[in-house]
């Protein structure tokens, strides 16, 4: 045995604050399963996963839910509905200097870390001022979802979308300013099982950009990422319309995620 060997184990934290019953879908459970998969690829490196601020309906359903999770993973998951007990358990496992500030620790806040990392890959070429997130859900075939960004004077906005949706969606970027609304851009974000020939080629639709990045149904793979728009100058209101293209290959679709798109707005000055 190597006397200098140091064994490392990780602690995963999943905060379910504001989780509603409507959001408790197979996609939500995939987050837990994927996080637990670390133990499959790196045996004995996952010490445990703490699920904090679990709503009462989740805690009561956990005995049923965990039957659908690998027993080795389920044994490492601890669920806390009581915030104080969850925080106390986290402090037993993690040094205070490593706990984010917004959880009462001495480390940087989760938001500041995300902002710092996003600044490295942003097309804006400068440190980001703030970020805004929204999980847009197009609830029916051919349906729509909307999100609004408010730009102040001297602010610049970059918009990115991340998804594992099997169907495509067209994103329309509208600028509302001085009582007038102008379409700035239309971008087609390709679905994983899209049957739309336009979304499966590198040639964009007329007036519409499409993403040609490789996509995978592997739940461990990175989601599709698309830069929707960048360098939008304020002031003004940016209205995003996401429109389902209803182009999923139903012969291959077996209940995979559909209609969920994480939209991220990166602000700078």
């Amino acid at each position: 045995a190597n006397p200098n060997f140091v064994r490392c184990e990780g602690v995963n934290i999943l905060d379910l604050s504001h989780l509603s019953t409507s959001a408790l879908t197979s996609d939500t459970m995939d987050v837990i399963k994927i996080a637990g998969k670390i133990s499959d690829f790196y045996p004995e490196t996952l010490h445990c996963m703490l699920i904090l601020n679990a709503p009462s309906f989740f805690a009561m359903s956990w005995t049923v839910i965990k039957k659908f999770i690998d027993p080795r993973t389920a044994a490492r998951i601890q669920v806390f509905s009581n915030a104080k007990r969850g925080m106390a358990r986290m402090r037993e496992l993690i040094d205070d200097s490593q706990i984010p500030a917004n959880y009462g620790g001495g480390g940087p806040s989760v938001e500041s870390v995300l902002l710092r990392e996003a600044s490295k890959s942003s097309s804006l070429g400068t440190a980001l001022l703030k970020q805004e997130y929204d999980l847009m859900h197009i609830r029916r075939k051919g349906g729509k979802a909307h999100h609004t960004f408010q730009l102040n004077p001297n602010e610049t906005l970059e918009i990115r979308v991340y998804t594992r949706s099997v169907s495509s969606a067209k994103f329309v970027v509208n600028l509302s300013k001085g009582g007038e609304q102008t379409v700035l851009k239309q971008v087609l974000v390709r679905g994983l099982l899209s049957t739309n020939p336009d979304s499966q080629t590198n040639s964009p639709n007329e007036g519409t950009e499409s993403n040609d990045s490789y996509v995978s149904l592997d739940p461990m793979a990175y989601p599709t990422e698309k830069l929707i728009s960048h360098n939008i100058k304020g002031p003004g209101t940016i209205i995003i319309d996401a429109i389902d293209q209803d182009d999923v290959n139903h012969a291959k679709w077996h209940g995979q995620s559909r209609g969920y798109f994480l939209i991220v707005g990166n602000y700078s000055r």
Side-chain angles (χ1 to χ4, degrees):
N2 184 353
N4 297 318
F5 175 78
V6 178
R7 175 172 171 169
C8 297
E9 294 185 357
V11 177
N12 290 348
I13 307 295
L14 183 61
D15 190 344
L16 295 187
S17 297
H18 311 300
L19 177 70
S20 64
T21 52
S22 60
L24 188 60
T25 63
S26 59
D27 297 309
T28 310
M29 297 313 304
D30 280 344
V31 172
I32 299 175
K33 293 177 182 178
I34 291 171
K37 280 287 184 181
I38 294 175
S39 61
D40 292 342
F41 293 102
Y42 303 98
E44 307 307 321
T45 60
L46 177 64
H47 182 74
C48 68
M49 179 194 297
L50 303 184
I51 298 181
L52 305 180
N53 302 309
S56 56
F57 67 84
F58 181 91
M60 290 187 293
S61 305
W62 176 241
T63 53
V64 176
I65 294 172
K66 67 180 181 181
K67 293 179 181 179
F68 297 94
I69 300 175
D70 185 281
R72 295 173 298 175
T73 299
R76 291 184 169 96
I77 299 175
Q78 302 172 30
V79 180
F80 295 92
S81 291
N82 184 286
K84 289 184 177 180
R85 291 180 181 176
M87 292 299 297
R89 179 56 176 153
M90 184 162 63
R91 285 195 167 86
E92 290 177 1
L93 297 166
I94 305 173
D95 187 84
D96 184 74
S97 65
Q98 301 301 310
I99 297 177
N102 43 328
Y103 285 87
S109 68
V110 173
E111 291 77 12
S112 66
V113 172
L114 291 174
L115 200 62
R116 181 186 66 205
E117 293 303 311
S119 295
K120 297 177 182 178
S121 59
S122 171
S123 65
L124 298 176
T126 183
L128 298 181
L129 176 68
K130 63 180 179 179
Q131 283 187 304
E132 183 176 331
Y133 307 86
D134 184 36
L135 183 59
M136 303 179 73
H137 184 200
I138 307 176
R139 299 180 181 277
R140 63 181 186 277
K141 298 177 183 178
K144 297 181 180 181
H146 311 275
H147 184 76
T148 299
F149 294 100
Q150 191 64 49
L151 265 175
N152 296 319
N154 301 319
E155 287 184 346
T156 302
L157 179 65
E158 170 194 82
I159 304 171
R160 293 178 181 269
V161 168
Y162 302 83
T163 188
R164 288 194 178 93
S165 175
V166 294
S167 61
S168 305
K170 182 168 71 174
F171 283 77
V172 183
V173 182
N174 305 281
L175 171 63
S176 180
K177 189 174 182 179
E180 297 184 359
Q181 184 165 309
T182 306
V183 176
L184 298 181
K185 208 169 190 181
Q186 299 183 57
V187 179
L188 184 65
V189 177
R190 183 179 62 182
L192 304 184
L193 294 177
S194 170
T195 58
N196 184 339
D198 288 325
S199 68
Q200 293 187 5
T201 69
N202 295 338
S203 302
N205 297 331
E206 183 178 354
T208 303
E209 293 184 7
S210 63
N211 60 312
D212 58 358
S213 56
Y214 172 75
V215 291
S216 170
L217 289 176
D218 181 358
M220 294 294 289
Y222 286 105
T224 298
E225 176 185 1
K226 179 63 181 177
L227 177 63
I228 298 297
S229 193
H230 67 97
N231 207 33
I232 304 175
K233 304 291 186 181
T237 300
I238 306 300
I239 304 169
I240 307 296
D241 296 320
I243 307 165
D244 179 70
Q245 300 300 287
D246 192 22
D247 58 357
V248 65
N249 186 330
H250 293 277
K252 296 182 180 179
W253 179 36
H254 298 292
Q256 288 97 342
S257 177
R258 175 173 181 165
Y260 287 96
F261 298 86
L262 177 64
I263 188 167
V264 180
N266 294 321
Y267 291 80
S268 70
R269 291 194 187 279

